[in-house]
Amino acid sequence: MFPRRPKPTAFPFSLPPKPSLPQIKQSHARLVLSGHATDANLIGRLLLLLSLAPSTPPARYPLSVFLSLPRPSACGKARALGEGMQVHAHVVKLGFPKDVFIRNCLVHFYCACSSTESACKVFNESGQSRDVVTWNAMITGLARDGQIDVAQKMFDEMPERDVISWTAMITGYVQNGKLEEGLQCFRKMRESDLLRPNEAILVTVLSASAQLGLLRQGRLVHSIIDSLNFPMTVPLGTALVDMYAKCGSIEHSRYVFEQMRKRNIWTWNAMICGLATHGLGREALVLFERFLDKGLEPASVTFVGVLSACSRSGLVDEDPILWATLLGACKVHGLVELGEEIGNKLINSDPIHNGHYVQLSNIYAKARKWADVVRVRGLMIERKASKTTGWSLVEAEGLVHWFVAGDREHERCLEIYEMLDCIERRIVEAGYRPDTSSVLHDIGEEEKENAIREHSERLAIAFALLVTRDGDCIRVVKNLRVCTDCHEVTKMISKVFMREIVVRDGSRFHHFKEGRCSCLDYW
């Protein structure tokens, strides 16, 4: 069933309730002369008047009016559902519902207006009046509507596919948050070895690689760009800058940025924010000055990057925007009273941000004030600011391996825990002593030590030590801020096992090497 038709847009010129064909043509001419010939609302209204005309006009005239709309359907672009439905009614009245070009426009129109049910009805009306464009429009609409599984089923049924078909699926997966599925779809496209990826696919895959922190995958896409002699457009260059920065290779990010002949504000933002997350505050500020010298107008994200650069490099002593950073410092230095004051301020200003509750709980736990820990945790539950489940991932052997705290699901679980034991023995010999202040439970010290030793990033690092060669850099992506003890453990692992370890946590990048971290214990 098609949606109820909204009230049509009023026509700007004076016309009788049921104008004659000559009067309609005269109004059409006035639309053309006034520059409104491609206005979806007005052309839709014109077609409605044609359908209501006392005498049926020759078919070629209303069809020419319909085809004057720019592709894709202007009604769809304008989200003009009522006017588009008028066009659809006229199409049926004049006997053109099986015209493939018109059907494609109708499918696109309904999808653009978020009416996928109507689009599916048009799509299914005649199986003989479809081409690859029809299928692509339907798959794109389903993906945008969040029906990615339905889109995949339709994609599998396609009699033929082109690069737009693959673009619709890859982009659909990534936009719906199914990043790994999007990358897998890209791999299948490459295995078919028949189609050259377009810019939209490459930018989308780079975005997915950046979000997951998969440097190897990002480098692969970069090599594909080079091998196919793709021009380094602003979108591609910006996606590469962002990918390398988010995957821990800030020098490659800088190189791509400096090699770009053209940049837009988003390119500069990606580079400034990238430098900030790597703790290169002064370099980010220098780049920001270059940005201003170019006469460019900063966006809000530009200022976020600059403030982040200052806060993460100790360049700002105190600022209201940086209260969260100060709260973290209170935990590190055991400043309970100041932490309590700042924590309450943050909780009151943003009561559903779970991180503030957790940080304040950590401060109380370190001071062994268990009643306050319970109170804050209860407040967090009461205000529905539930704690996000922590996870870490590492890319190895061509796959992405995910871990959560205490994970026992990995196929090499026994080997991973044996490696954990090996790690603990060696770092204890090197002087490691557990810091259990992040455990928010009033339990015995031994139980706390067992709890922190199974944090997700430690499992990821243990697995990486198993499957990578001696001397290889280990790269881990973590969704939450790394705890104090895991930060110290990772520093010691980098020294004892002589490995460089790059961790992207929920706050910033940490480059561990020879027992030190790039954040200087400031995160």
Side-chain angles (χ1 to χ4, degrees):
M1 180 180 292
F2 292 105
R4 181 174 295 175
R5 184 165 63 196
K7 185 178 180 180
T9 304
F11 207 74
F13 305 121
S14 178
L15 282 171
K18 291 186 177 180
S20 64
L21 181 58
Q23 289 172 318
I24 294 173
K25 286 186 174 182
Q26 185 179 18
S27 293
H28 187 197
R30 293 180 66 184
L31 282 178
V32 173
L33 291 173
S34 62
H36 293 90
T38 58
D39 186 300
N41 295 335
L42 298 180
I43 294 298
R45 181 67 175 151
L46 186 72
L47 288 166
L48 177 63
L49 293 174
L50 282 169
S51 67
L52 298 174
S55 58
T56 302
R60 62 180 179 273
Y61 175 62
L63 182 59
S64 68
V65 174
F66 175 79
L67 295 179
S68 70
L69 293 170
R71 295 183 67 186
S73 167
C75 293
K77 280 187 174 181
R79 301 293 192 273
L81 182 59
E83 287 73 12
M85 290 178 68
Q86 295 165 19
V87 173
H88 190 178
H90 203 73
V91 165
V92 174
K93 179 180 178 181
L94 296 175
F96 296 116
K98 293 186 178 180
D99 183 285
V100 174
F101 172 79
I102 294 177
R103 287 173 63 82
N104 291 345
C105 287
L106 287 169
V107 170
H108 173 85
F109 153 69
Y110 281 118
C111 288
C113 292
S114 301
S115 183
T116 51
E117 183 179 351
S118 298
C120 286
K121 184 172 182 180
V122 173
F123 179 85
N124 292 322
E125 278 176 348
S126 177
Q128 303 301 317
S129 300
R130 300 174 186 159
D131 60 9
V132 69
V133 177
T134 324
W135 287 85
N136 290 343
M138 195 66 248
I139 289 171
T140 301
L142 289 167
R144 287 177 179 170
D145 194 44
Q147 302 183 53
I148 191 65
D149 294 334
V150 180
Q152 180 64 64
K153 184 176 183 297
M154 184 171 287
F155 179 80
D156 293 337
E157 296 171 353
M158 288 185 75
E160 62 172 319
R161 301 174 185 139
D162 60 10
V163 70
I164 304 301
S165 314
W166 289 96
T167 304
M169 283 309 305
I170 294 169
T171 304
Y173 272 123
V174 173
Q175 290 178 344
N176 281 278
K178 297 191 173 185
L179 307 179
E180 287 188 81
E181 289 86 343
L183 295 177
Q184 183 62 31
C185 190
F186 176 64
R187 293 188 193 102
K188 289 180 180 178
M189 176 187 174
R190 290 184 60 237
E191 288 168 2
S192 68
D193 202 29
L194 298 175
L195 294 171
R196 171 189 171 101
N198 58 21
E199 183 180 278
I201 289 176
L202 296 171
V203 169
T204 300
V205 174
L206 285 170
S207 173
S209 303
Q211 292 178 65
L212 289 171
L214 305 181
L215 181 60
R216 185 177 301 175
Q217 177 68 45
R219 282 175 172 165
L220 172 64
V221 179
H222 195 173
S223 68
I224 292 172
I225 292 170
D226 290 340
S227 65
L228 295 177
N229 293 318
F230 259 92
M232 188 53 66
T233 62
V234 172
L236 264 183
T238 303
L240 284 168
V241 168
D242 185 58
M243 181 276 295
Y244 278 121
K246 288 180 177 174
C247 292
S249 186
I250 193 64
E251 290 306 320
H252 279 90
S253 181
R254 278 174 160 175
Y255 177 80
V256 173
F257 178 83
E258 296 298 344
Q259 293 297 309
M260 292 177 65
R261 295 182 178 179
K262 292 183 178 180
R263 310 181 187 103
N264 62 14
I265 184 175
W266 305 112
T267 318
W268 288 86
N269 288 343
M271 192 71 255
I272 291 170
C273 292
L275 290 168
T277 58
H278 285 267
L280 302 172
R282 297 190 184 279
E283 290 87 340
L285 291 176
V286 169
L287 189 63
F288 180 60
E289 290 177 2
R290 282 178 57 190
F291 173 85
L292 295 177
D293 289 342
K294 296 279 185 181
L296 298 171
E297 188 73 24
S300 57
V301 70
T302 316
F303 291 112
V304 170
V306 173
L307 286 168
S308 176
C310 294
S311 67
R312 286 171 174 155
S313 303
L315 301 178
V316 174
D317 293 328
E318 186 172 331
D319 190 294
I321 300 175
L322 305 177
W323 286 118
T325 302
L326 291 175
L327 184 61
C330 289
K331 176 186 178 296
V332 173
H333 299 289
L335 304 175
V336 178
E337 292 182 4
L338 179 59
E340 187 173 38
E341 181 181 345
I342 295 173
N344 287 326
K345 176 185 179 68
L346 288 169
I347 287 172
N348 290 331
S349 64
D350 190 358
I352 63 171
H353 189 294
N354 64 73
H356 303 329
Y357 295 90
V358 174
Q359 286 280 68
L360 183 55
S361 295
N362 285 337
I363 291 172
Y364 285 135
K366 188 172 184 178
R368 306 184 69 80
K369 300 179 70 170
W370 302 114
D372 288 319
V373 171
V374 172
R375 177 180 58 80
V376 173
R377 302 286 286 189
L379 193 60
M380 182 172 74
I381 295 171
E382 179 185 325
R383 296 182 179 179
K384 298 181 180 180
S386 57
K387 187 175 185 291
T388 303
T389 301
W391 53 257
S392 296
L393 68 82
V394 63
E395 185 182 16
E397 300 179 325
L399 297 172
V400 179
H401 301 264
W402 298 76
F403 299 92
V404 296
D407 205 326
R408 296 291 195 282
E409 299 298 321
H410 197 279
E411 60 183 13
R412 300 184 66 173
C413 174
L414 292 177
E415 295 174 84
I416 291 171
Y417 278 87
E418 287 174 0
M419 176 57 74
L420 274 183
D421 292 337
C422 173
I423 290 171
E424 185 161 4
R425 286 195 302 271
R426 293 184 62 177
I427 63 176
V428 166
E429 291 172 0
Y432 163 69
R433 293 294 180 270
D435 177 356
T436 59
S437 62
S438 63
V439 180
L440 305 182
H441 302 285
D442 188 8
I443 56 178
E445 197 64 25
E446 183 177 348
E447 292 176 273
K448 291 182 180 181
E449 291 177 12
N450 288 333
I452 59 175
R453 74 186 294 269
E454 297 180 2
H455 280 184
S456 63
E457 57 266 53
R458 298 199 197 184
L459 297 175
I461 292 172
F463 173 72
L465 287 171
L466 284 173
V467 299
T468 58
R469 298 172 299 181
D470 289 345
D472 282 356
C473 178
I474 295 173
R475 299 178 184 275
V476 176
V477 177
K478 179 178 174 62
N479 67 326
L480 302 179
R481 184 188 298 252
V482 65
C483 77
T484 305
D485 188 69
C486 287
H487 189 269
E488 187 63 28
V489 165
T490 309
K491 285 198 298 184
M492 300 199 73
I493 293 174
S494 72
K495 181 178 181 179
V496 172
F497 287 83
M498 294 183 289
R499 292 289 194 101
E500 181 181 357
I501 303 173
V502 179
V503 177
R504 187 185 92 184
D505 74 358
S507 171
R508 59 171 296 153
F509 272 95
H510 301 266
H511 295 258
F512 299 93
K513 190 173 183 180
E514 298 176 351
R516 294 186 294 273
C517 180
S518 61
C519 76
L520 303 177
D521 298 337
Y522 185 81
W523 79 101

